[in-house]
């Protein structure tokens, strides 16, 4: 198994460096992500950071090609080891100086530098050193033990995916949502039986079309809330009519009490308007005459 692992190390490294290098060189998002990286802080320029990221990506592609074509030559492995050591030094600097910044390791992630980025860089260092010392080719191992090679490569790919924060949206986020659906929200079973905090319902509401439609009428923050038959009721105050004809209304929203941003789907939101003086429902036609709010200008 150890010899098979050593023989396949060039393939694993080539896959990792080929992917991250291609993203840095060819992705249009590299220039957009560069200002968010610790590299931009280090170079004090987003443009220079973009240039360095693309140059690093080109170097990664060159090393990946060398690992695939001439794995018996120690140069590609040694270059990968040097690159991994450089990554570790850069990550250490970024973690110390700009911990809120991303590393730009694949030029497509927004997450801060964590232990996963260090672990991936360490694998590049160790893998490169292993390839440089072994100086073997990978194709005999694949041809002689295809099943073992396939299992080993699949395991290595799984490890690299787990260490890549920019791939979390493809596997970790769906996994967390599935866990919530299967095991329920962690706040389930509280004394009042409400699985979702009120603040979460308010956040969900304020991102809905119902809220956008009612926004010209609403004039307050949340005034009251309660549950009724599985619905969470959220009450706001509002005004309809112009000048002397303006009348106060209660704006009442209702949405699924168990709905949250992590529960998936688009919960139905109901909205109604109640005259604050008479207690009667206000016709929607009257509310359609409410002018939209003027957007305040932003100071330069």
């Amino acid at each position: 198994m150890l010899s098979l692992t050593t023989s396949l190390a060039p393939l694993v490294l080539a896959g990792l460096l080929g992917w991250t290098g291609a993203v840095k060189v060819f992705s249009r998002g590299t220039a957009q992500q560069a200002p968010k990286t610790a590299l931009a802080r280090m170079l004090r320029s987003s443009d220079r950071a973009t240039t360095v990221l693309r140059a690093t990506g080109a170097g990664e592609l060159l090393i990946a090609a060398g690992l695939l074509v001439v794995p018996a030559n120690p140069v590609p492995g040694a270059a990968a080891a040097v690159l991994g050591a450089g990554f570790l030094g850069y990550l250490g600097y970024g973690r110390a100086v700009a911990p809120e910044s991303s590393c730009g390791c694949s030029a497509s992630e927004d997450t801060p530098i964590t232990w996963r980025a260090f672990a991936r860089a360490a694998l590049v260092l160790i893998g490169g050193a292993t390839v440089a010392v072994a100086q073997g080719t990978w194709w005999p191992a694949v041809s002689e033990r295809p099943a073992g090679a396939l299992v080993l490569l699949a395991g290595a790919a799984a490890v690299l995916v787990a260490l890549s924060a920019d791939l979390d949206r493809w596997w970790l986020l769906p996994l967390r949502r599935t866990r919530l659906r299967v095991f329920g929200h962690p706040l389930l079973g509280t004394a009042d039986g409400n699985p979702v905090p009120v603040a979460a319902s308010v956040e969900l509401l304020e991102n809905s079309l119902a809220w956008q439609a009612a926004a010209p009428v609403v004039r307050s923050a949340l005034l009251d809330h309660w549950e009724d038959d599985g619905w969470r009721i959220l009450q706001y105050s509002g005004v309809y009519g112009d000048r002397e004809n303006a009348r106060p209304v209660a704006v009442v929203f209702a949405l699924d009490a168990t709905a949250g941003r992590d529960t998936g789907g688009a919960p139905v939101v109901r909205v109604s308007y109640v005259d604050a003086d008479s207690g009667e429902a206000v016709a929607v036609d009257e509310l359609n005459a409410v002018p939209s709010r003027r957007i305040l200008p932003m100071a330069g």
Side-chain angles (χ1 to χ4, degrees):
M1 180 59 73
L2 181 60
S3 62
L4 183 62
T5 303
T6 303
S7 300
L8 296 181
L11 274 182
V12 177
L13 270 181
L16 174 61
L17 297 179
W19 163 53
T20 56
V23 173
K24 290 188 182 80
V25 173
F26 301 112
S27 174
R28 295 179 180 178
T30 300
Q32 299 173 352
Q33 294 295 327
K36 305 175 185 177
T37 64
L39 188 61
R41 180 79 171 270
M42 179 190 297
L43 300 177
R44 303 189 180 193
S45 169
S46 298
D47 292 337
R48 285 196 289 268
T50 302
T51 301
V52 172
L53 281 176
R54 294 200 187 280
T56 304
E60 290 177 81
L61 287 176
L62 187 62
I63 294 173
L67 290 168
L68 288 175
V69 179
V70 287
N73 190 309
V75 174
V82 172
L83 189 64
F87 283 159
L88 286 174
Y90 163 67
L91 291 172
Y93 167 85
R95 184 68 180 172
V97 177
E100 76 284 356
S101 301
S102 68
C103 66
C105 300
S106 64
S108 62
E109 78 278 6
D110 295 326
T111 56
I113 298 172
T114 66
W115 67 269
R116 294 198 290 175
F118 283 96
R120 195 169 68 174
L123 286 180
V124 174
L125 170 60
I126 297 171
T130 301
V131 173
V133 173
Q135 299 181 22
T137 56
W138 52 267
W139 43 85
V142 174
S143 60
E144 294 171 4
R145 303 170 63 184
L150 184 61
V151 171
L152 193 57
L153 289 174
V159 171
L160 293 178
V161 168
L163 295 177
S164 302
D166 47 332
L167 299 180
D168 285 353
R169 64 182 182 279
W170 298 109
W171 69 277
L172 187 57
L173 186 57
L175 185 63
R176 287 173 174 170
R177 287 177 173 172
T178 302
R179 184 185 63 184
L180 287 175
R181 293 192 186 98
V182 174
F183 298 104
H185 196 279
L187 296 180
L188 269 173
T190 53
D192 56 2
N194 294 327
V196 178
V198 174
S201 297
V202 172
E203 182 182 8
L204 191 67
L205 170 66
E206 292 179 350
N207 285 283
S208 69
L209 290 175
W211 176 263
Q212 295 178 25
V217 177
V218 175
R219 292 291 187 275
S220 76
L222 180 64
L223 297 179
D224 196 4
H225 63 87
W226 64 92
E227 275 74 44
D228 184 14
D229 196 21
W231 293 91
R232 172 161 287 162
I233 314 299
L234 305 170
Q235 180 181 341
Y236 297 76
S237 67
V239 174
Y240 77 93
D242 294 329
R243 300 181 184 280
E244 64 274 8
N245 296 323
R247 297 184 61 82
V249 294
V251 186
V252 181
F253 298 93
L255 68 162
D256 186 350
T258 63
R261 295 188 64 178
D262 296 327
T263 53
V268 174
V269 181
R270 295 178 177 176
V271 57
S272 59
Y273 309 90
V274 180
D275 190 292
D277 296 329
S278 65
E280 297 179 353
V282 178
V284 176
D285 293 342
E286 295 185 43
L287 291 168
N288 288 337
V290 177
S292 300
R293 292 184 183 178
R294 182 172 61 88
I295 300 176
L296 297 177
M298 180 180 295

